[in-house]
Short mmCIF file of all heavy atoms in Angstrom, two decimals:
data_model
loop_
_atom_site.label_atom_id
_atom_site.label_comp_id
_atom_site.label_asym_id
_atom_site.label_seq_id
_atom_site.Cartn_x
_atom_site.Cartn_y
_atom_site.Cartn_z
N ASP M 81 10.63 -9.96 5.28
CA ASP M 81 9.76 -11.09 5.11
C ASP M 81 8.24 -10.86 5.36
O ASP M 81 7.48 -11.81 5.40
CB ASP M 81 10.28 -12.36 5.97
CG ASP M 81 10.20 -12.04 7.46
OD1 ASP M 81 10.01 -10.95 7.76
OD2 ASP M 81 10.37 -12.94 8.15
N LYS M 82 7.94 -9.60 5.57
CA LYS M 82 6.67 -9.18 5.65
C LYS M 82 6.37 -7.76 5.20
O LYS M 82 7.38 -7.05 5.26
CB LYS M 82 5.97 -9.44 7.10
CG LYS M 82 6.79 -8.46 8.13
CD LYS M 82 6.20 -8.83 9.54
CE LYS M 82 6.99 -7.96 10.51
NZ LYS M 82 7.23 -8.51 11.77
N TYR M 83 5.24 -7.41 4.71
CA TYR M 83 4.85 -6.16 4.14
C TYR M 83 4.84 -5.07 5.33
O TYR M 83 4.10 -5.36 6.25
CB TYR M 83 3.78 -6.17 3.30
CG TYR M 83 3.57 -4.76 2.67
CD1 TYR M 83 4.41 -4.36 1.69
CD2 TYR M 83 2.45 -3.96 3.01
CE1 TYR M 83 4.20 -3.10 1.03
CE2 TYR M 83 2.34 -2.66 2.37
CZ TYR M 83 3.25 -2.28 1.40
OH TYR M 83 2.92 -1.10 0.85
N ASP M 84 5.61 -3.98 5.25
CA ASP M 84 5.51 -3.04 6.38
C ASP M 84 5.42 -1.73 5.72
O ASP M 84 6.22 -1.10 5.17
CB ASP M 84 6.84 -3.12 7.19
CG ASP M 84 6.92 -2.12 8.35
OD1 ASP M 84 6.07 -1.21 8.27
OD2 ASP M 84 7.92 -2.12 9.06
N MET M 85 4.17 -1.22 5.61
CA MET M 85 3.87 0.06 4.94
C MET M 85 4.70 1.26 5.53
O MET M 85 5.19 2.02 4.66
CB MET M 85 2.35 0.55 5.07
CG MET M 85 1.47 -0.18 3.98
SD MET M 85 -0.33 0.41 4.02
CE MET M 85 -0.07 2.02 3.79
N GLY M 86 4.83 1.28 6.75
CA GLY M 86 5.69 2.36 7.39
C GLY M 86 7.10 2.35 6.93
O GLY M 86 7.70 3.40 6.49
N PHE M 87 7.66 1.21 6.80
CA PHE M 87 9.08 1.13 6.39
C PHE M 87 9.18 1.45 4.92
O PHE M 87 10.11 2.23 4.56
CB PHE M 87 9.64 -0.42 6.65
CG PHE M 87 10.90 -0.51 5.88
CD1 PHE M 87 12.10 0.13 6.36
CD2 PHE M 87 11.00 -1.34 4.77
CE1 PHE M 87 13.25 -0.04 5.73
CE2 PHE M 87 12.24 -1.40 4.10
CZ PHE M 87 13.33 -0.83 4.61
N PHE M 88 8.35 0.89 4.05
CA PHE M 88 8.41 1.29 2.72
C PHE M 88 8.10 2.70 2.48
O PHE M 88 8.73 3.42 1.48
CB PHE M 88 7.49 0.37 1.81
CG PHE M 88 8.04 -1.04 1.65
CD1 PHE M 88 7.45 -2.04 2.35
CD2 PHE M 88 9.13 -1.39 0.99
CE1 PHE M 88 7.98 -3.38 2.31
CE2 PHE M 88 9.74 -2.63 0.83
CZ PHE M 88 9.22 -3.57 1.59
N GLY M 89 7.30 3.38 3.14
CA GLY M 89 7.03 4.86 3.11
C GLY M 89 8.32 5.60 3.40
O GLY M 89 8.64 6.51 2.83
N THR M 90 9.03 5.16 4.57
CA THR M 90 10.30 5.74 4.99
C THR M 90 11.32 5.56 3.92
O THR M 90 12.09 6.51 3.62
CB THR M 90 10.68 5.27 6.24
OG1 THR M 90 9.73 5.44 7.29
CG2 THR M 90 11.94 5.80 6.78
N LEU M 91 11.40 4.48 3.37
CA LEU M 91 12.42 4.09 2.32
C LEU M 91 12.14 5.05 1.06
O LEU M 91 13.00 5.51 0.47
CB LEU M 91 12.30 2.68 1.90
CG LEU M 91 13.21 2.08 0.98
CD1 LEU M 91 14.68 2.19 1.47
CD2 LEU M 91 12.97 0.55 0.75
N GLU M 92 10.94 5.12 0.72
CA GLU M 92 10.53 6.04 -0.49
C GLU M 92 10.97 7.47 -0.08
O GLU M 92 11.59 8.13 -1.08
CB GLU M 92 9.09 5.92 -0.75
CG GLU M 92 8.64 6.71 -1.97
CD GLU M 92 7.13 6.62 -2.24
OE1 GLU M 92 6.32 6.63 -1.34
OE2 GLU M 92 6.82 6.63 -3.47
N SER M 93 10.62 7.89 1.02
CA SER M 93 10.99 9.35 1.25
C SER M 93 12.54 9.54 1.27
O SER M 93 13.03 10.51 0.81
CB SER M 93 10.40 9.60 2.76
OG SER M 93 10.76 10.96 3.10
N ALA M 94 13.24 8.48 1.95
CA ALA M 94 14.73 8.64 1.87
C ALA M 94 15.30 8.64 0.48
O ALA M 94 16.21 9.39 0.14
CB ALA M 94 15.36 7.44 2.70
N LEU M 95 14.68 7.83 -0.34
CA LEU M 95 15.19 7.71 -1.81
C LEU M 95 15.04 9.10 -2.49
O LEU M 95 15.97 9.59 -3.06
CB LEU M 95 14.39 6.69 -2.59
CG LEU M 95 14.67 6.64 -4.04
CD1 LEU M 95 16.12 6.25 -4.32
CD2 LEU M 95 13.72 5.64 -4.84
N TYR M 96 13.91 9.75 -2.29
CA TYR M 96 13.70 11.02 -2.97
C TYR M 96 14.60 12.09 -2.33
O TYR M 96 15.03 12.94 -3.05
CB TYR M 96 12.17 11.34 -3.00
CG TYR M 96 11.33 10.47 -3.93
CD1 TYR M 96 10.30 9.93 -3.47
CD2 TYR M 96 11.80 10.30 -5.20
CE1 TYR M 96 9.44 9.12 -4.29
CE2 TYR M 96 11.06 9.50 -6.02
CZ TYR M 96 9.89 8.87 -5.54
OH TYR M 96 9.13 8.02 -6.41
N ASP M 97 14.75 12.03 -1.03
CA ASP M 97 15.66 12.94 -0.30
C ASP M 97 17.06 12.92 -0.88
O ASP M 97 17.69 13.87 -1.07
CB ASP M 97 15.59 12.78 1.17
CG ASP M 97 14.21 13.25 1.80
OD1 ASP M 97 13.43 14.01 1.10
OD2 ASP M 97 14.11 12.99 2.89
N VAL M 98 17.43 11.73 -1.11
CA VAL M 98 18.79 11.52 -1.58
C VAL M 98 18.98 11.93 -3.00
O VAL M 98 19.86 12.70 -3.39
CB VAL M 98 19.35 10.03 -1.46
CG1 VAL M 98 20.60 9.75 -2.10
CG2 VAL M 98 19.47 9.73 0.02
N ILE M 99 18.06 11.43 -3.95
CA ILE M 99 18.24 11.69 -5.37
C ILE M 99 17.87 13.21 -5.80
O ILE M 99 18.46 13.70 -6.70
CB ILE M 99 17.52 10.73 -6.30
CG1 ILE M 99 16.07 10.70 -5.95
CG2 ILE M 99 18.10 9.30 -6.11
CD1 ILE M 99 15.30 9.73 -7.02
N ASP M 100 16.97 13.80 -4.98
CA ASP M 100 16.48 14.99 -5.30
C ASP M 100 17.48 16.16 -4.87
O ASP M 100 17.53 17.24 -5.40
CB ASP M 100 15.10 15.42 -4.70
CG ASP M 100 14.05 14.60 -5.44
OD1 ASP M 100 14.30 14.04 -6.63
OD2 ASP M 100 12.94 14.58 -4.89
N ASN M 101 18.17 15.78 -3.81
CA ASN M 101 19.06 16.89 -3.04
C ASN M 101 20.51 16.62 -3.25
O ASN M 101 21.32 17.52 -2.67
CB ASN M 101 18.63 16.97 -1.56
CG ASN M 101 17.21 17.41 -1.46
OD1 ASN M 101 16.82 18.38 -2.08
ND2 ASN M 101 16.46 16.70 -0.62
N HIS M 102 21.01 15.55 -3.85
CA HIS M 102 22.43 15.32 -3.93
C HIS M 102 22.79 14.84 -5.40
O HIS M 102 22.23 13.70 -5.74
CB HIS M 102 22.82 14.25 -2.87
CG HIS M 102 22.35 14.68 -1.51
ND1 HIS M 102 23.13 15.69 -0.72
CD2 HIS M 102 21.31 14.49 -0.83
CE1 HIS M 102 22.62 15.83 0.39
NE2 HIS M 102 21.42 15.24 0.33
N ASP M 103 23.68 15.63 -5.92
CA ASP M 103 24.08 15.19 -7.38
C ASP M 103 24.82 13.85 -7.42
O ASP M 103 25.67 13.54 -6.47
CB ASP M 103 25.03 16.35 -7.84
CG ASP M 103 25.26 16.15 -9.30
OD1 ASP M 103 24.42 15.83 -10.06
OD2 ASP M 103 26.46 16.58 -9.70
N LYS M 104 24.40 13.16 -8.35
CA LYS M 104 25.00 11.82 -8.59
C LYS M 104 24.97 10.84 -7.34
O LYS M 104 25.87 10.15 -7.08
CB LYS M 104 26.59 11.94 -8.97
CG LYS M 104 26.91 12.66 -10.29
CD LYS M 104 28.26 12.77 -10.47
CE LYS M 104 28.69 13.63 -11.65
NZ LYS M 104 30.03 13.80 -11.84
N ALA M 105 23.86 10.91 -6.77
CA ALA M 105 23.62 10.05 -5.54
C ALA M 105 22.33 9.29 -5.64
O ALA M 105 21.48 9.67 -6.33
CB ALA M 105 23.64 10.89 -4.20
N THR M 106 22.33 8.10 -5.05
CA THR M 106 21.27 7.22 -4.97
C THR M 106 21.20 6.52 -3.69
O THR M 106 22.17 6.66 -2.93
CB THR M 106 21.01 6.37 -6.18
OG1 THR M 106 19.69 5.78 -6.15
CG2 THR M 106 21.98 5.08 -6.06
N LEU M 107 20.17 5.85 -3.42
CA LEU M 107 19.89 5.02 -2.16
C LEU M 107 20.03 3.61 -2.53
O LEU M 107 19.63 3.11 -3.60
CB LEU M 107 18.56 5.42 -1.51
CG LEU M 107 18.18 4.62 -0.28
CD1 LEU M 107 19.13 5.13 0.99
CD2 LEU M 107 16.76 4.85 0.09
N MET M 108 20.60 2.84 -1.56
CA MET M 108 20.75 1.40 -1.81
C MET M 108 20.04 0.75 -0.47
O MET M 108 20.53 1.02 0.64
CB MET M 108 22.29 1.03 -1.87
CG MET M 108 22.40 -0.46 -1.95
SD MET M 108 24.16 -0.98 -2.21
CE MET M 108 24.87 -0.55 -0.66
N LEU M 109 19.19 -0.04 -0.76
CA LEU M 109 18.66 -0.88 0.43
C LEU M 109 19.52 -2.07 0.53
O LEU M 109 19.64 -2.86 -0.46
CB LEU M 109 17.17 -1.29 0.16
CG LEU M 109 16.56 -2.19 1.13
CD1 LEU M 109 16.56 -1.69 2.55
CD2 LEU M 109 15.12 -2.67 0.76
N ALA M 110 20.02 -2.30 1.70
CA ALA M 110 20.94 -3.51 1.92
C ALA M 110 19.99 -4.38 2.88
O ALA M 110 19.55 -4.06 3.88
CB ALA M 110 22.19 -3.16 2.73
N THR M 111 19.95 -5.67 2.48
CA THR M 111 19.26 -6.65 3.15
C THR M 111 19.95 -7.96 3.20
O THR M 111 20.84 -8.17 2.39
CB THR M 111 17.77 -6.83 2.68
OG1 THR M 111 16.96 -7.57 3.51
CG2 THR M 111 17.78 -7.40 1.17
N ASP M 112 19.52 -8.82 4.08
CA ASP M 112 20.05 -10.20 4.19
C ASP M 112 19.63 -10.91 2.92
O ASP M 112 18.45 -10.78 2.46
CB ASP M 112 19.51 -10.88 5.38
CG ASP M 112 20.09 -12.15 5.77
OD1 ASP M 112 20.32 -13.10 4.91
OD2 ASP M 112 20.64 -12.36 6.88
N SER M 113 20.50 -11.84 2.43
CA SER M 113 20.10 -12.55 1.30
C SER M 113 19.02 -13.59 1.58
O SER M 113 18.35 -13.98 0.58
CB SER M 113 21.35 -13.40 0.75
OG SER M 113 21.86 -14.24 1.68
N LEU M 114 18.62 -13.84 2.80
CA LEU M 114 17.47 -14.55 3.04
C LEU M 114 16.24 -13.83 2.74
O LEU M 114 15.07 -14.51 2.59
CB LEU M 114 17.41 -14.89 4.64
CG LEU M 114 18.52 -15.78 5.10
CD1 LEU M 114 18.52 -15.97 6.59
CD2 LEU M 114 18.50 -17.23 4.54
N SER M 115 16.26 -12.52 2.43
CA SER M 115 15.20 -11.75 2.12
C SER M 115 14.78 -12.01 0.53
O SER M 115 13.74 -11.60 0.01
CB SER M 115 15.36 -10.27 2.27
OG SER M 115 15.54 -10.06 3.58
N TYR M 116 15.65 -12.70 -0.11
CA TYR M 116 15.36 -12.98 -1.67
C TYR M 116 13.91 -13.53 -1.91
O TYR M 116 13.14 -13.03 -2.73
CB TYR M 116 16.39 -13.70 -2.26
CG TYR M 116 16.16 -13.94 -3.70
CD1 TYR M 116 16.38 -12.98 -4.63
CD2 TYR M 116 15.70 -15.27 -4.09
CE1 TYR M 116 16.11 -13.31 -5.95
CE2 TYR M 116 15.44 -15.50 -5.38
CZ TYR M 116 15.60 -14.57 -6.39
OH TYR M 116 15.29 -14.83 -7.74
N ASP M 117 13.72 -14.65 -1.16
CA ASP M 117 12.47 -15.42 -1.46
C ASP M 117 11.16 -14.43 -1.14
O ASP M 117 10.44 -14.39 -2.01
CB ASP M 117 12.40 -16.63 -0.67
CG ASP M 117 13.21 -17.78 -1.41
OD1 ASP M 117 13.54 -17.59 -2.56
OD2 ASP M 117 13.53 -18.75 -0.70
N PRO M 118 11.18 -13.92 0.03
CA PRO M 118 10.06 -12.96 0.24
C PRO M 118 9.84 -11.88 -0.74
O PRO M 118 8.70 -11.51 -1.17
CB PRO M 118 10.23 -12.44 1.66
CG PRO M 118 11.14 -13.39 2.28
CD PRO M 118 11.98 -13.96 1.20
N ILE M 119 10.96 -11.28 -1.16
CA ILE M 119 10.93 -10.21 -2.18
C ILE M 119 10.31 -10.72 -3.53
O ILE M 119 9.59 -9.95 -4.15
CB ILE M 119 12.24 -9.56 -2.33
CG1 ILE M 119 12.60 -8.64 -1.15
CG2 ILE M 119 12.27 -8.63 -3.54
CD1 ILE M 119 13.98 -8.19 -1.11
N THR M 120 10.73 -11.91 -3.89
CA THR M 120 10.18 -12.35 -5.18
C THR M 120 8.93 -13.12 -5.12
O THR M 120 8.28 -13.41 -6.17
CB THR M 120 11.36 -13.27 -5.88
OG1 THR M 120 11.69 -14.36 -4.90
CG2 THR M 120 12.58 -12.46 -6.21
#
Side-chain angles (χ1 to χ4, degrees):
D81 62 348
K82 61 183 177 210
Y83 185 70
D84 179 350
M85 275 185 61
F87 170 70
F88 286 108
T90 300
L91 186 59
E92 179 180 41
S93 181
L95 173 63
Y96 291 129
D97 287 346
V98 171
I99 62 176
D100 289 347
N101 297 311
H102 304 278
D103 189 37
K104 298 181 185 176
T106 195
L107 182 69
M108 176 176 73
L109 173 61
T111 189
D112 190 306
S113 60
L114 293 171
S115 295
Y116 176 78
D117 281 341
I119 289 172
T120 58

